[in-house]
Amino acid sequence: MRKAPTILHLDMDAFYASAEQASKPSLRGKAVVVGGLGPRGVVATASYEARVFGVHSAMPMGQARRLAPNAAYLVPRFGFYKAISEQVMGLLRELSPLVEPLSLDEAFVDLEAGGTAWDEASARLAGAKLRADIRAVTGLTGSVGLAASKMLAKIASEQAKPDGLVVIEPGTERALLGPMSVRILPGVGPATGDHLRRAGIHTVDEIVEAGEDELVRLLGKAHGHGLYAMALAYDERPVVAERETKSVSVEDTYDVDIHDRVRVSLEVQRLADRCVRRLRGAGLSGRTIVLKVRRYDFSTLTRSETLRGPTDDPAVVREAALRLLEGVDSTGGVRLLGVGVSGLADFTQEDLFAQAAGEEVDQAVEEAADDAPVQEREAAAVERRWVAGHDVRHAEYGHGWVQGSGLGRVTVRFETPDSEPGRVRTFLVEDPALEPAEPLPLTEDVPGAQASASSVPVASLPKSRSGNGGGADTSRP
């Protein structure tokens, strides 16, 4: 393991919720929950104000509403979040060619590989500059952890939350890890954690005390050896710039179980088309088509078919997925469907199984479908495009966002990222003056903004973009 803390872990603070607060002045300093709003929806991200009430990621949305009934509940705007993420990842790649994204809001960076840092002092400067640049470019905050390994850098960023920077100095790792729960170590999930707990092992120090042989006996050779090394603060995993894509897949969970076999077939075809668009977008093709079906009783079935050669033909993928569906009993209802393609290649080959080879996907269908969650699409269908939290523009009042919709009316709050909290107005859902709009940027695109940000001392920056304004329960108009 390297001697200097030159592995950086960045974790954007409550990313989706913070992006929503930054774009909606009336929500700054308020409890905001982002996720699927249907009966089976789950929380994607909760703002720190919502976390005070016990709301957290992956919690059922119904439970979140009970804990924080007055919070603003918004449907995710994934295109908006992705655009911000690309800005952040661009800043990281300026620090080093070795950037390993883990999600839209999280990544590892090897600062030493980029010549950006070589000791503790230079690593601190790089981390401080990154945080200032992120604020200047996106208006958001991120927490930075610096250490000699990926495991420790991630632990440091957790300690830095929110909006902070923590460096774990070489030589202090064992003392830091010792009293922590075993769940802090990579690879220790709920099942492994319970297994260790039943053996009387609760902390990292107790793993070390148990010894490597006992870990191997409890968890097996590979897992035991690896976990013992982690407990001793040894983590040799490198930062990997490009991860090989092994599969491309899409899936949807339905608020109400689907019982109609025809509807199931149509959903499978739609998912197959979405999957192919992602496949083509990545410049890939694949040989193995995979169908995933979760039934009413939560039993999950996976079926696959391998073609003679790689394809990115939507007709081929649709037909293969439908053939797989024929062998699945959907009696009782289906709550989740997924279609994937694996055995990937960067070229295509004419598929001899294709009955409709050369067919093009109907352009109208291609343009109408999108990669948004099913809850978002169904909400749009019911509410005539007016999805809670999404952007709109009115011919007279300008830019705003949907605060709620129902009973033939839509309530809109008119404000922009750089305005004061705006006024709320209600319209008929068919009002011709109201139309969907693209999100506005969070900050002005001023040339040189990033360069100037690097000279701003971190201590001089405000802790958060807060603002005053009335509460907003966007689940109701």
Side-chain angles (χ1 to χ4, degrees), residues 126-190:
K129 176 181 182 300
L130 173 64
R131 292 179 58 237
D133 286 349
I134 288 173
R135 185 188 291 273
V137 172
T138 71
L140 303 180
T141 64
S143 296
V144 170
L146 291 156
S149 69
K150 289 168 71 172
M151 174 184 71
L152 292 165
K154 185 173 177 62
I155 292 172
S157 69
E158 287 295 322
Q159 293 183 329
K161 282 186 169 294
D163 189 21
L165 185 154
V166 168
V167 179
I168 297 179
E169 299 177 9
T172 66
E173 300 95 343
R174 288 284 302 278
L176 173 74
L177 284 176
M180 291 185 173
S181 165
V182 295
R183 291 291 301 277
I184 199 71
L185 300 178
V188 180

Side-chain angles (χ1 to χ4, degrees), residues 157-224:
S157 69
E158 287 295 322
Q159 293 183 329
K161 282 186 169 294
D163 189 21
L165 185 154
V166 168
V167 179
I168 297 179
E169 299 177 9
T172 66
E173 300 95 343
R174 288 284 302 278
L176 173 74
L177 284 176
M180 291 185 173
S181 165
V182 295
R183 291 291 301 277
I184 199 71
L185 300 178
V188 180
T192 302
D194 287 344
H195 196 53
L196 292 172
R197 179 180 52 79
R198 288 193 296 270
I201 299 174
H202 301 85
T203 67
V204 176
D205 267 343
E206 288 171 344
I207 288 179
V208 177
E209 292 170 5
E212 189 170 13
D213 291 342
E214 178 65 8
L215 266 291
V216 169
R217 186 187 70 80
L218 288 171
L219 305 176
K221 188 174 182 180
H223 199 181

Side-chain angles (χ1 to χ4, degrees), residues 223-341:
H223 199 181
H225 286 311
L227 191 59
Y228 185 73
M230 294 277 190
L232 294 175
Y234 294 129
D235 179 14
E236 299 292 344
R237 294 174 300 159
V239 175
V240 181
E242 296 294 336
R243 290 183 169 187
E244 182 182 357
T245 303
K246 296 183 179 180
S247 65
V248 174
S249 63
V250 296
E251 64 181 42
D252 277 338
T253 300
Y254 303 96
D255 290 340
V256 179
D257 292 344
I258 302 176
H259 293 82
D260 183 0
R261 186 74 175 185
V262 174
R263 167 85 188 283
V264 173
S265 298
L266 290 173
E267 287 293 312
V268 167
Q269 293 179 70
R270 182 184 57 76
L271 289 167
D273 288 344
R274 276 178 55 195
C275 185
V276 168
R277 286 198 300 278
R278 287 193 179 183
L279 197 68
R280 288 180 169 181
L284 299 170
S285 61
R287 294 184 62 207
T288 301
I289 313 303
V290 181
L291 175 70
K292 178 180 177 182
V293 180
R294 180 166 297 150
R295 298 186 293 190
Y296 71 98
D297 59 357
F298 288 90
S299 61
T300 303
L301 303 177
T302 303
R303 301 287 185 267
S304 64
E305 175 182 318
T306 299
L307 308 174
R308 294 184 183 180
T311 184
D312 65 352
D313 187 325
V316 174
V317 177
R318 282 199 304 270
E319 290 170 9
L322 288 173
R323 285 195 296 272
L324 294 170
L325 180 62
E326 291 174 1
V328 174
D329 179 12
S330 60
T331 305
V334 170
R335 60 184 293 120
L336 177 147
L337 289 169
V339 174
V341 178

